[in-house]
């Protein structure tokens, strides 16, 4: 086996020649219907969905009004990546997105890895959106008096984990009525679900319904998908503008103080949620072969989508945090929540309807993207031929679209929302990193045909070393405590809820006796153990003292040693790579914009949990097994070499 064959590359000339041949004989050719306006609408359809209707609430609760800076930072990172996508899309105007671009820049093995990562991005992204859509849809039905059983509107993992946590909290003294709404729903779903032996049948059936519906629409044709997307975009933009117009009159500027209540760490805590709000603009690049003028329209469509959505996100975040205190926004439907809080029930109803439409439009764009990635990989011989089959009448990748429906629908019945959000984010960020790196690799190559769009060149030779030095200066002079805690792996106190839910019955009684004695309360009523401990969290010093004296093992009170260090491994990887990139930029005079895109996306990957990196690595290992077992020997480049 020749190692060099793993990195055999496709040339831009060969790719363009194949597209021309497809179009001339009609074989495997897709219909060209899309303009720059349609592409911008697809981008808005993909970006404005779960982010603005759901995850913006959690991010605002963590970061306060200062969460707007996270939206701006994330938009900048996505814009840097969008420049790289646009340059590649202009250079190689075919379906395949980052997969095809990596085939040109890095070779077959890296192309396979990125294609496999994109399969996860779109599949997991679709699962996430389908689950969010289900939540809003069932909420809308309930407001209309239609109540579905909990066990058919919740995924299996959420119900199982929620039941365990609810049981632990109730054993520690909390009543069912005082559980959070999410835990109540999980407990009810688990206890009322049909059982087969010890297996509980809990499945999110509304999520299955919307996936089947959207898959049928995508199968039917690009023109129909475009028309449906444009209609849904108009509806949700009108609703968002209405929310801003009405909400601005209820803004209390006192709610913006303090602006960053939890500091920089609080703002950055929402990285995954906020980045997920921007996922989707890259799906535009998968439609390159269906654009009337891809070299001109793809860059324009991407940029306009990001600009419009960022402006709307920032305004919405300011309005939300101005209408109510940021601490109240940790809910699944923040827009509907704030208007209900201010007794504007009619607005809550309108928002619920628009959220259902918005989620469906996001699902539509994601469900379009994945079959086109599979089609491109199949054309290259890396997947079976069936995946490149184009429907003779509808001009869509029919077989790949149907398989996508199954791949998304089945996991959506059982997987947890938080898990799939983070997995989707890490897969997407990985794609962004490789696309930005691809532009850097190709920047000085003279034999590459260039498209109409090229990323503006700014020399990073001195800029990046200066930025690294400035970052180190800030870390050690203005954020010294957190920096030294990171370096020395200082033990971290576990929060009250996690302590209580990890206790057995005997330890619970010990902690209860200690806290009641601390409060000097004598009562025959069983007190809520979680509330007894949580009340001290508002004062860090007092909480540390109380937790330090709890009569339980330190392992239950503190996270330390490797248990703590493993969560810092992604950030250490980022720091070492950053130093390497700084040397590379100094030696090779790299272009600043794609380099900033690469660094900012790597940083956001580092902010994700180590478990996401582990799950992502497992996914890549499965992909490599398929590559070496099937794809490598069936690759068309392998036939060409032979």
């Amino acid at each position: 086996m020749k190692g060099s064959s793993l990195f055999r590359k496709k040339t831009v000339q060969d790719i363009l020649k194949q597209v021309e041949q497809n179009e001339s004989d009609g074989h495997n050719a897709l219909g060209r219907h899309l303009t720059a306006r349609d592409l911008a609408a697809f981008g808005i359809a993909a970006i404005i969905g779960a982010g603005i209707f759901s995850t913006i609430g959690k991010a605002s609760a963590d970061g306060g009004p200062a969460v707007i800076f996270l939206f701006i930072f994330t938009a900048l990172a996505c814009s840097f990546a969008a420049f790289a996508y646009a340059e590649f899309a202009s250079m190689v105007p075919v379906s395949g997105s980052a997969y095809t671009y990596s085939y040109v820049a890095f070779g077959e093995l890296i192309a396979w890895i990125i294609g496999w990562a994109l399969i996860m991005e779109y599949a997991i992204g679709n699962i996430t959106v389908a689950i969010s859509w289900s939540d809003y849809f069932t909420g809308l039905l309930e407001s209309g008096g239609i109540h579905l059983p909990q066990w058919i509107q919740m995924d299996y993992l959420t119900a199982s984990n929620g039941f365990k946590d609810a049981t632990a909290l109730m054993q520690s003294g909390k009543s069912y009525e005082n559980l959070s709404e999410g835990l109540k729903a999980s407990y009810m779903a688990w206890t009322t679900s049909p059982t087969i032996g010890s297996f509980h049948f809990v499945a999110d059936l509304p999520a299955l319904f919307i996936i089947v519906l959207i898959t049928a629409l995508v199968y039917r044709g690009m023109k129909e998908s475009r028309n449906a997307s444009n209609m849904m975009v108009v509806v949700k933009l009108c609703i968002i503008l209405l929310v801003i117009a009405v909400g601005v009159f209820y803004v209390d500027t006192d709610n913006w103080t303090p602006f960053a209540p939890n500091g920089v760490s609080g703002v950055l805590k929402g990285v995954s949620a906020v980045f997920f709000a921007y996922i989707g603009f890259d799906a535009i690049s998968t439609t390159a072969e269906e654009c009337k003028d891809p070299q001109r329209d793809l860059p324009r469509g991407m940029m306009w989508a990001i600009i419009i959505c960022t402006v709307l996100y920032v305004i919405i975040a300011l309005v939300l945090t101005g209408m109510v205190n940021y601490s109240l926004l940790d809910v699944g439907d923040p827009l509907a929540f704030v208007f209900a809080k201010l007794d504007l029930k009619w607005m809550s109803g309108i928002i619920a309807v628009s959220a259902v439409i918005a989620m469906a439009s996001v699902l539509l764009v994601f469900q379009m993207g994945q079959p086109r990635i599979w089609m491109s990989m199949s054309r290259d011989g890396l997947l079976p031929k069936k995946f490149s089959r184009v429907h003779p009448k509808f001009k869509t990748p029919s077989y790949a679209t149907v398989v996508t429906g199954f791949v998304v629908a089945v996991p959506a019945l059982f997987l947890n929302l938080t898990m799939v959000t983070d997995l989707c984010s890490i897969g997407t960020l990985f794609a962004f990193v490789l696309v930005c790196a691809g532009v850097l690799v190709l920047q000085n190559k003279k034999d590459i045909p260039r498209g109409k769009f090229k990323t503006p060149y700014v020399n990073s030779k001195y800029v990046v070393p200066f930025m690294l030095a400035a970052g180190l200066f800030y870390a050690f002079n203005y954020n010294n405590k957190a920096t030294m805690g990171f370096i020395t792996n200082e033990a971290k106190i576990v929060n009250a809820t996690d302590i209580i839910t990890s206790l057995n019955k005997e330890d619970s009684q010990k902690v209860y006796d200690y806290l009641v004695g601390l409060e000097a309360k004598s009562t025959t009523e069983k007190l809520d153990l979680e509330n007894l401990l949580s009340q001290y969290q508002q004062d860090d010093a007092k909480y540390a003292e109380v937790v330090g004296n709890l009569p339980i093992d330190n392992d239950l009170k503190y996270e330390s040693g490797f248990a703590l260090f493993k969560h810092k491994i992604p950030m250490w990887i980022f720091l070492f790579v950053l130093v390497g990139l700084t040397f590379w930029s100094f030696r090779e005079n790299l272009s600043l914009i794609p380099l900033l895109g690469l660094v900012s996306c790597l940083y956001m990957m580092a902010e994700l949990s180590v478990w996401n990196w582990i799950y992502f690595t497992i996914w890549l290992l499965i992909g490599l097994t398929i590559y070496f077992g099937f794809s490598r020997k069936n690759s068309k480049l392998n036939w060409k070499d032979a």
Side-chain angles (χ1 to χ4, degrees), residues 55 62 101 121 215 218 244 253 411 572 583-585 631 636:
T55 58
D62 290 331
Y101 310 154
E121 173 196 342
T215 302
V218 172
I244 293 170
T253 53
W572 278 111
F583 280 109
W584 188 29
S585 68
S631 306
K636 288 189 176 177

Side-chain angles (χ1 to χ4, degrees), residues 308-604:
I308 292 169
C309 293
T310 301
V311 171
L312 291 175
Y313 276 148
V314 169
I315 296 173
I316 284 286
L318 286 173
V319 169
L320 284 180
T321 54
M323 291 174 71
V324 299
N325 186 275
Y326 72 92
S327 61
L328 302 176
L329 289 172
D330 189 7
V331 292
D333 52 349
L335 267 66
F337 169 79
V338 292
F339 285 102
K341 189 84 174 168
L342 297 171
D343 206 28
L344 296 172
K345 298 287 197 307
W346 61 277
M347 276 295 293
S348 293
I350 292 174
I351 290 166
V353 173
S354 67
V356 169
I357 296 171
M359 300 290 183
S361 70
V362 178
L363 192 61
L364 173 65
V365 178
F366 276 36
Q367 204 73 346
M368 272 190 331
Q370 184 168 328
R372 284 153 180 80
I373 299 291
W374 282 356
M375 180 184 72
S376 295
M377 296 175 76
S378 175
R379 283 174 173 176
D380 296 330
L382 303 185
L383 287 177
K385 285 183 180 179
K386 285 184 177 181
F387 285 90
S388 58
R389 183 187 299 162
V390 173
H391 196 284
K393 179 181 178 183
F394 301 139
K395 298 296 180 183
T396 57
S398 51
Y399 180 80
T401 300
V402 172
V403 173
T404 296
F406 279 103
V407 167
V408 175
V410 175
L413 296 171
F414 306 107
L415 287 184
N416 175 279
L417 183 60
T418 303
M419 178 188 293
V420 292
T421 301
D422 288 349
L423 278 174
C424 182
S425 294
I426 197 169
T428 307
L429 286 166
F430 184 68
F432 287 6
V433 165
L434 284 187
V435 171
C436 291
V439 170
L440 295 174
V441 168
L442 297 180
Q443 73 172 31
N444 295 323
K445 293 195 175 181
K446 306 298 183 186
D447 57 340
I448 301 292
R450 302 291 174 179
K452 296 177 183 177
F453 180 86
K454 194 172 189 306
T455 305
Y457 177 78
V458 178
N459 194 335
S460 65
K461 184 181 183 78
Y462 298 110
V463 178
V464 172
F466 172 78
M467 292 173 69
L468 177 60
L472 291 172
F473 178 80
Y474 171 80
F476 285 101
N477 286 274
Y478 296 98
N479 197 29
N480 186 269
K481 184 179 179 182
T483 302
M484 294 309 297
F486 176 82
I487 294 172
T488 60
N489 203 38
E490 183 181 336
K492 184 179 177 183
I493 301 175
V494 179
N495 69 53
T497 302
D498 287 343
I499 289 176
I500 300 307
T501 53
S502 66
L503 301 178
N504 58 34
K505 195 169 183 180
E506 183 181 344
D507 285 335
S508 292
Q509 189 61 49
K510 289 180 184 177
V511 172
Y512 178 80
D513 292 339
Y514 169 74
L515 292 176
V516 169
L518 201 62
E519 293 289 305
K521 291 180 179 177
S522 57
T523 175
T524 55
E525 181 185 353
K526 180 75 171 175
L527 298 174
D528 184 340
L529 186 51
E530 186 196 19
N531 282 345
L532 279 174
L533 185 55
S534 296
Q535 64 183 322
Y536 296 107
Q537 286 191 142
Q538 296 175 1
D539 183 339
D540 290 343
K542 184 65 176 174
Y543 181 66
E545 180 188 345
V546 171
V547 170
N549 292 323
L550 290 178
I552 54 177
D553 290 341
N554 281 340
D555 289 346
L556 299 173
K557 299 186 289 187
Y558 302 102
E559 200 171 13
S560 60
F562 184 74
L564 177 62
F565 177 77
K566 67 185 179 187
H567 297 296
K568 299 177 181 179
I569 292 174
M571 186 56 70
W572 278 111
I573 293 173
F574 166 75
L575 293 173
F576 284 120
V577 172
L578 181 58
V579 172
L581 289 173
T582 303
F583 280 109
W584 188 29
S585 68
F586 188 82
R587 288 184 56 188
E588 301 293 334
N589 298 318
L590 297 179
S591 178
L592 182 63
I593 290 177
L595 184 59
L596 289 177
L598 193 159
V599 170
S600 51
C601 290
L602 264 180
Y603 173 75
M604 287 191 283

Side-chain angles (χ1 to χ4, degrees), residues 598-619:
L598 193 159
V599 170
S600 51
C601 290
L602 264 180
Y603 173 75
M604 287 191 283
M605 284 181 73
E607 285 288 339
L608 296 175
S609 161
V610 69
W611 294 113
N612 294 303
W613 285 64
I614 292 171
Y615 297 144
F616 183 59
T617 302
I618 292 170
W619 175 258

Side-chain angles (χ1 to χ4, degrees), residues 4-15 18 99-100 102-112 376-383 627 630-642:
S4 60
S5 68
L6 297 175
F7 300 98
R8 53 198 173 200
K9 298 176 183 177
K10 294 178 69 175
T11 64
V12 176
Q13 292 91 336
D14 286 344
I15 294 172
Q18 182 61 50
Y99 158 74
T100 302
S102 296
Y103 220 144
V104 172
F106 301 112
E108 187 171 279
L109 180 62
I110 303 300
W112 168 266
S376 295
M377 296 175 76
S378 175
R379 283 174 173 176
D380 296 330
L382 303 185
L383 287 177
Y627 174 76
F630 172 85
S631 306
R632 187 172 177 276
K633 61 186 177 184
N634 287 283
S635 166
K636 288 189 176 177
L637 288 188
N638 191 46
W639 302 349
K640 188 176 179 181
D641 291 344

Side-chain angles (χ1 to χ4, degrees), residues 65-79:
V67 74
I68 63 168
F69 295 121
L70 185 55
F71 278 111
I72 294 170
F73 167 72
T74 307
L76 282 173
C78 289
S79 297

